[in-house]
Amino acid sequence: MTAVTAGEPLNILHTIDLNKLYPIVRCQLTLDQALDLPKLYQALKTIGQVIPEIYAGYDLENNQWLIPDTRPQRLVQQVASEVNIDALTLDLETGPQLHVYLQDTKTGHQVTFVMSHILTDGAGFKQFLYLLAAIYNQGSTAIQGLKNHMDVTGLETLVQQQKVGTLKPTDHPSAPLYLPTLNSQATTRQYYVNDCHLSKTDSQKLKTWAKVQGVTLNDIFMAVFGQLMQSYAAVPEITLACPTDTRQYLPEKERQQLRIQNATARYNTAVTNDFTQPLTATIQAFHQQMTMLKQDQQFLQSIRQLLTLAKTQPISALREVVQQNYSVRPIAYTNFGIIDASRLNFTGCTIKHCLLTGSFREAPAFQAAFSSFNHEIIIGFNMIGTTEEINFGNALLQQLKQNLQLVTTL
């Protein structure tokens, strides 16, 4: 018998433009040893007791989860090394919402977790990975007394408490950032993932520089990425949407709860910028604007109307509201923050490489995904593109790395 659980309003956020942008969060791990398959199956079975929605299909019309089968074998695929796992069929409406791919590659044993962004966000995905690792290492004791909280009561309270008149830049900029469309003769497109790392030394230099300058790493990432994109678009403003985990604004008790849900809103920045000016000035401009937006809790603008109308309006109307306030931009930025290596570990295995990215975007659309693992800053991207477009994406990646390295010399 199929079990049914209700979705929350913020699940609707990532159903926008499903035909263009399939909503996922993706974690790729390279291990020195293969995971113990029976232990992995048992860990998935156990975590499913807390988050059964990982097995579900998503009912788009009614915003609910349909859970027909909770066998962990449904979630795991052992795949030959030459297979591109990202090109495999993924249907979140049919389900499940989690896919785990196991591959042996030249660099080690690769495990890729792909989770529905309809079900959860980046911060929730990290909570999921930490809990799965804890269950793998400790068994069912890791879920004793644990409940996954998917209510939005705390966010509704924040919306009610926000001062009127604090709304800032719109989600639909008049001159959005974009990359050029390459004049390529190629017609074959492929799914592609890549990343680059700043060394531990360079990463620490950047953290130290940020502290001395009184800015955040997020300010630096946005400025470096935004200015590079602006140099191609030749527009007067850097307009970036910056996701933020709203859990941090909840009361302490709720912050401590397991919340594998969508709880991300976003700041909409619009920094007027001469892209020939020193990068330090752009960093400070982003810092000043982000400081102001944080004080005003401007991120609530992106979800205010959705939460307000969710109790009275049909799902179709809510989807129209989301389209107005949470648009998909051709150039996107995300920062997954620190991936805690002490919590994301599997007994008997060493993680040699960790990459967290978002959805695949069809070139010339582009998203840079920043994160940090084991004291190294990582920049990654997913792309659907031709060989020329992928090469361009890799060139952008290297330029972002070089520009970050240059920051500490300014």
Side-chain angles (χ1 to χ4, degrees):
M1 182 176 178
T2 299
V4 180
T5 61
E8 47 129 338
L10 271 63
N11 292 134
I12 302 171
L13 291 178
H14 302 286
T15 64
I16 299 302
D17 292 342
L18 273 177
N19 59 327
K20 298 179 183 177
L21 187 71
Y22 217 63
I24 62 168
V25 278
R26 181 186 189 277
C27 180
Q28 179 178 302
L29 303 176
T30 303
L31 310 174
D32 66 338
Q33 301 289 329
L35 291 178
D36 183 300
L37 195 56
K39 282 182 66 176
L40 176 62
Y41 282 144
Q42 186 59 47
L44 290 168
K45 181 178 180 180
T46 302
I47 203 170
Q49 297 173 30
V50 182
I51 316 144
E53 293 80 10
I54 60 175
Y55 293 100
Y58 179 67
D59 180 352
L60 190 66
E61 291 186 4
N62 298 298
N63 187 31
Q64 60 186 12
W65 305 104
L66 309 178
I67 310 167
D69 187 344
T70 57
R71 290 176 296 120
Q73 289 79 2
R74 290 181 61 222
L75 309 181
V76 180
Q77 294 186 54
Q78 298 183 66
V79 185
S81 60
E82 66 274 12
V83 173
N84 185 342
I85 58 172
D86 299 302
L88 298 175
T89 300
L90 190 67
D91 186 345
L92 300 179
E93 291 183 69
T94 302
Q97 301 299 300
L98 172 70
H99 292 258
V100 184
Y101 301 100
L102 307 177
Q103 286 179 295
D104 290 331
T105 68
K106 293 179 181 179
T107 56
H109 302 273
Q110 188 166 293
V111 184
T112 306
F113 298 93
V114 175
M115 182 171 271
S116 163
H117 203 346
I118 303 173
L119 176 63
T120 193
D121 54 21
F125 186 44
K126 288 197 296 183
Q127 287 191 23
F128 172 84
L129 293 171
Y130 297 152
L131 180 57
L132 183 68
I135 297 169
Y136 182 92
N137 299 334
Q138 304 165 24
S140 59
T141 57
I143 66 165
Q144 286 184 358
L146 204 57
K147 175 185 176 183
N148 185 37
H149 296 262
M150 300 178 71
D151 65 278
V152 292
T153 306
L155 289 178
E156 290 172 339
T157 301
L158 286 174
V159 165
Q160 293 165 3
Q161 292 175 344
Q162 188 187 32
K163 296 178 181 178
V164 177
T166 58
L167 302 185
K168 298 299 178 184
T170 176
D171 191 54
H172 293 270
S174 57
L177 297 172
Y178 63 92
L179 288 173
T181 300
L182 299 185
N183 185 17
S184 172
Q185 300 301 314
T187 57
T188 302
R189 293 183 158 227
Q190 60 181 302
Y191 286 77
Y192 181 82
V193 180
N194 199 14
D195 67 290
C196 64
H197 294 218
L198 268 67
S199 67
K200 287 184 174 65
T201 299
D202 285 344
S203 297
Q204 185 56 52
K205 282 182 181 178
L206 196 63
K207 293 173 189 176
T208 302
W209 188 90
K211 186 174 182 180
V212 170
Q213 298 296 319
V215 299
T216 69
L217 284 178
N218 190 64
D219 297 330
I220 296 172
F221 297 157
M222 291 186 74
V224 168
F225 177 62
Q227 193 171 78
L228 180 60
M229 296 298 103
Q230 186 192 23
S231 70
Y232 286 98
V235 292
E237 284 187 325
I238 300 175
T239 52
L240 289 175
C242 175
T244 186
D245 178 14
T246 63
R247 295 168 182 82
Q248 64 188 303
Y249 297 99
L250 298 177
E252 183 175 357
K253 181 180 178 181
E254 294 180 35
R255 289 201 305 269
Q256 302 304 318
Q257 293 170 338
L258 181 70
R259 288 190 169 271
I260 298 173
Q261 64 172 148
N262 269 314
T264 291
R266 64 194 200 182
Y267 293 107
N268 292 314
T269 64
V271 173
T272 301
N273 184 68
D274 177 353
F275 57 83
T276 62
Q277 76 176 354
L279 183 54
T280 49
T282 308
I283 292 170
Q284 286 295 336
F286 265 97
H287 176 69
Q288 291 167 15
Q289 186 163 116
M290 286 298 296
T291 298
M292 178 183 64
L293 296 180
K294 289 173 184 177
Q295 289 173 348
D296 291 346
Q297 293 189 342
Q298 183 263 348
F299 64 88
L300 292 172
Q301 176 188 11
S302 63
I303 58 174
R304 167 186 290 277
Q305 194 176 9
L306 175 64
L307 291 177
T308 302
L309 298 177
K311 295 180 180 179
T312 60
Q313 296 298 309
I315 301 301
S316 58
L318 298 182
R319 192 166 290 111
E320 290 180 9
V321 168
V322 170
Q323 184 71 60
Q324 295 169 8
N325 297 292
Y326 215 87
S327 64
V328 177
R329 301 188 186 190
I331 298 300
Y333 165 86
T334 192
N335 181 0
F336 290 108
I338 297 172
I339 306 162
D340 190 341
S342 69
R343 299 178 67 187
L344 184 57
N345 69 87
F346 299 89
T347 300
C349 303
T350 299
I351 297 177
K352 300 161 58 178
H353 179 270
C354 175
L355 174 62
L356 201 56
T357 52
S359 296
F360 280 83
R361 293 167 186 264
E362 189 168 326
F366 186 80
Q367 181 185 65
F370 292 80
S371 61
S372 175
F373 180 77
N374 199 22
H375 307 292
E376 291 186 353
I377 291 169
I378 305 164
I379 318 167
F381 76 99
N382 300 343
M383 179 182 284
I384 305 171
T386 65
T387 299
E388 291 85 355
E389 289 166 336
I390 287 169
N391 289 341
F392 184 39
N394 283 328
L396 292 173
L397 198 66
Q398 291 304 315
Q399 190 64 59
L400 286 171
K401 177 180 178 178
Q402 291 175 25
N403 290 356
L404 284 176
Q405 291 171 323
L406 285 173
V407 166
T408 58
T409 67
L410 300 175

